[in-house]
Amino acid sequence: MAASSAQAGRGNPFELNDRLPPVEVEQELSQERPEEESDSENPFNVRYRNTDEAFEREDLLLVARGERKAVLDARGKLLGIHLFLLILLGVFWSLMRPTLTACYKSLFNSSVAWQLYRRKAGGLRSRLLLAYLFSFLSIGFFIYLLTQHFEWLPGDHPWVHWGILSGSVAGFFGLKHLILGVAGWLWEAPTEADRFSFAVQINTLLLGMALVPANLFVSYAPEEASSSMVFGGLALVSGVYVLRGLRGLDIGNSLLRKSPLPFLLYICAIEIAPIALLAKFIYEQV
């Protein structure tokens, strides 16, 4: 029986036991072959990369290193904020296109600004208020991008920092409107104070909407053009601020002739001083 099984094994063409080298020869061959050569010849060998080398890639989602600005990194994290602001901008533009066009014309035409002020008593006030609140989000995001460009804040939590900065912008303008209301009551000029407060709202609203596409250029501009885009956005903010100042002079012209001292105190303390301090801070950082 054993002999017949052995003969059957030798007659099997798929039997490999007789063709394999002895165990001693196989051990000698394995000792003579280098381990590095066997690893290199094996295409299925799993090699572990150095994690330090892997994280030194200039990937857009990594933290900035060296001379690279943080605003050019972590672009994937900022994409959600851009999409959110763009969607809101599209909604406001589709629902308030005639009103926003009139707001833009009021920057350069005092009669249009007066007509818009008289229309605010109706349903226009609530719609303008919603667009005004939207501008806080856009301005806060622009400030966040400034902090990333100048590397004042870490770029790992953009949504949190954006929310804090937007809330700070809302608090700043809320305080400005409160001061205007108190100043109009003290100086017996409630109409002028309310008109200028409305002009601040219109100018800030338009600035926030204009900054939505400007934020895209600041975020996704090439590295060599990032500074130009940032200062272009600052120039846009300065231009709107100058237009608002001219509108304020036009509104307060009669008040300036009657009692120039309170008017100049407000201009210096509330309008000029914060901008001068902010400009000085940015200049020192640059």
Side-chain angles (χ1 to χ4, degrees):
M1 187 71 179
S4 62
S5 63
Q7 290 178 359
R10 286 194 297 269
N12 187 1
F14 301 101
E15 182 64 36
L16 300 178
N17 292 328
D18 296 337
R19 304 180 187 181
L20 293 177
V23 179
E24 295 81 3
V25 177
E26 186 177 358
Q27 291 178 353
E28 292 178 0
L29 291 176
S30 62
Q31 292 176 0
E32 292 177 359
R33 184 168 55 185
E35 183 179 357
E36 296 180 357
E37 182 179 356
S38 63
D39 292 341
S40 62
E41 292 178 355
N42 186 5
F44 301 102
N45 186 31
V46 179
R47 299 179 182 178
Y48 296 93
R49 294 183 59 187
N50 189 358
T51 56
D52 296 334
E53 296 179 358
F55 279 95
E56 285 299 325
R57 294 182 300 111
E58 292 188 357
D59 191 83
L60 295 177
L61 298 180
L62 296 179
V63 181
R65 291 184 175 86
E67 298 294 331
R68 301 196 65 192
K69 300 299 182 181
V71 71
L72 299 178
D73 299 285
R75 296 180 180 181
K77 298 179 181 179
L78 302 180
L79 183 59
I81 301 177
H82 284 295
L83 292 176
F84 178 72
L85 293 178
L86 285 172
I87 291 173
L88 288 181
L89 178 62
V91 170
F92 282 115
W93 180 252
S94 62
L95 297 178
M96 301 176 55
R97 184 174 180 178
T99 303
L100 294 177
T101 303
C103 291
Y104 173 75
K105 293 179 180 179
S106 68
L107 294 177
F108 310 98
N109 194 325
S110 59
S111 61
V112 176
W114 174 248
Q115 293 175 5
L116 198 62
Y117 173 74
R118 295 178 63 181
R119 287 173 52 196
K120 76 167 187 174
L124 184 63
R125 179 187 292 270
S126 59
R127 287 180 290 171
L128 287 177
L129 180 60
L130 291 176
Y132 191 40
L133 296 176
F134 165 76
S135 67
F136 297 153
L137 300 176
S138 179
I139 296 173
F141 189 46
F142 178 72
I143 296 175
Y144 171 75
L145 294 177
L146 286 182
T147 63
Q148 294 302 291
H149 179 79
F150 296 109
E151 299 182 352
W152 297 335
L153 287 176
D156 51 349
H157 298 292
W159 286 83
V160 175
H161 294 142
W162 171 49
I164 294 174
L165 291 173
S166 299
S168 301
V169 172
F172 172 78
F173 280 100
L175 180 62
K176 181 184 288 290
H177 289 295
L178 178 62
I179 293 175
L180 279 172
V182 173
W185 176 71
L186 289 176
W187 300 333
E188 297 181 354
T191 303
E192 288 81 0
D194 191 51
R195 286 184 61 191
F196 183 66
S197 179
F198 183 71
V200 170
Q201 179 180 350
I202 296 300
N203 286 47
T204 307
L205 181 154
L206 294 175
L207 174 62
M209 293 193 170
L211 284 177
V212 173
N215 290 337
L216 283 171
F217 287 108
V218 173
S219 296
Y220 298 105
E223 186 174 359
E224 59 274 8
S226 61
S227 297
S228 301
M229 295 300 170
V230 167
F231 287 104
L234 291 174
L236 176 64
V237 175
S238 302
V240 174
Y241 186 79
V242 169
L243 290 175
R244 194 187 74 186
L246 294 176
R247 177 66 60 216
L249 290 176
D250 180 59
I251 294 173
N253 190 20
S254 59
L255 181 62
L256 182 61
R257 288 197 301 265
K258 290 190 299 184
S259 54
L261 182 60
F263 184 81
L264 293 176
L265 283 176
Y266 170 79
I267 292 295
C268 294
I270 306 302
E271 298 294 334
I272 298 179
I275 299 301
L277 292 175
L278 181 61
K280 181 177 181 297
F281 177 75
I282 295 177
Y283 177 78
E284 291 177 351
Q285 296 297 322
V286 174

